[in-house]
Amino acid sequence: MRTSCRFAMAVHVLAVLAYQEGDRVTSAFLAGSVNTNPVIIRRLLLSLQKAGLVETRKGAGAGSRLSRSPRRINLAEVYRSVEDSESFATPARKPNAACPVGHGIVEALAKLFGSAQSALEKDLAKTTLADVIDSLKTSRGRARTKAA
């Protein structure tokens, strides 16, 4: 079973854009920071652009930047813009309906998964991109202190 890292990459990309404070950043620069291919970053930027989180320009002055302040971007918006499926899923094959567990497991798990998905998004909504930036700055300061 494979999990998605699109959300983590999206937060990384948005954090780089926030650090640039309005300057446009190329997909090549972003790819270097994330350590991935620029094509993957461009696909991610398209999703973020559709959600109204970034604006991208081609040609002269090409690059991307945040479309609004990091304080006005919460992580639930980011999550919903790049993840195309729910975090939890049941197997594609239907369980054996003749089994006492198989008979009701899909319904029981659907309730559980729905509740967990809701809790995840509610928790992400409490955190803004600015909170992530603040955390990065704090951890960088601690790293400098330890090195001194």
Side-chain angles (χ1 to χ4, degrees), residues 65-128:
R65 66 180 178 192
L66 295 179
S67 62
R68 59 185 189 249
S69 158
R71 293 236 175 266
R72 294 186 48 229
I73 297 174
N74 73 61
L75 297 188
E77 292 177 279
V78 178
Y79 175 81
R80 286 189 292 266
S81 72
V82 299
E83 293 297 344
D84 51 5
S85 63
E86 300 291 318
S87 297
F88 309 98
T90 56
R93 291 183 169 206
K94 294 185 188 249
N96 181 350
C99 170
V101 173
H103 176 72
I105 193 70
V106 172
E107 184 178 316
L109 289 175
K111 289 178 185 175
L112 177 66
F113 292 171
S115 174
Q117 184 72 34
S118 178
L120 169 68
E121 291 186 34
K122 186 176 179 181
D123 196 46
L124 289 174
K126 295 176 188 176
T127 305
T128 67

Side-chain angles (χ1 to χ4, degrees), residues 2-12 34 36 40 44 82-83:
R2 185 146 191 226
T3 58
S4 171
C5 61
R6 289 175 53 84
F7 173 65
M9 285 195 301
V11 172
H12 186 141
V34 176
T36 193
I40 292 171
L44 198 60
V82 299
E83 293 297 344

Side-chain angles (χ1 to χ4, degrees), residues 130-144:
D131 296 329
V132 173
I133 298 300
D134 291 344
S135 177
L136 290 169
K137 288 178 179 176
T138 300
S139 69
R140 188 172 186 189
R142 281 194 302 258
R144 283 186 184 153

Side-chain angles (χ1 to χ4, degrees), residues 16-86:
V16 172
L17 296 178
Y19 258 92
Q20 296 301 316
E21 298 180 346
D23 291 340
R24 293 195 183 275
V25 181
T26 66
S27 57
F29 182 90
L30 293 167
S33 180
V34 176
N35 197 21
T36 193
N37 189 297
V39 172
I40 292 171
I41 297 300
R42 284 192 286 275
R43 287 184 193 139
L44 198 60
L45 287 168
L46 281 173
S47 297
L48 295 169
Q49 185 176 351
K50 285 178 187 174
L53 301 174
V54 301
E55 48 187 58
T56 301
R57 181 185 295 167
K58 295 179 182 178
S64 300
R65 66 180 178 192
L66 295 179
S67 62
R68 59 185 189 249
S69 158
R71 293 236 175 266
R72 294 186 48 229
I73 297 174
N74 73 61
L75 297 188
E77 292 177 279
V78 178
Y79 175 81
R80 286 189 292 266
S81 72
V82 299
E83 293 297 344
D84 51 5
S85 63
E86 300 291 318

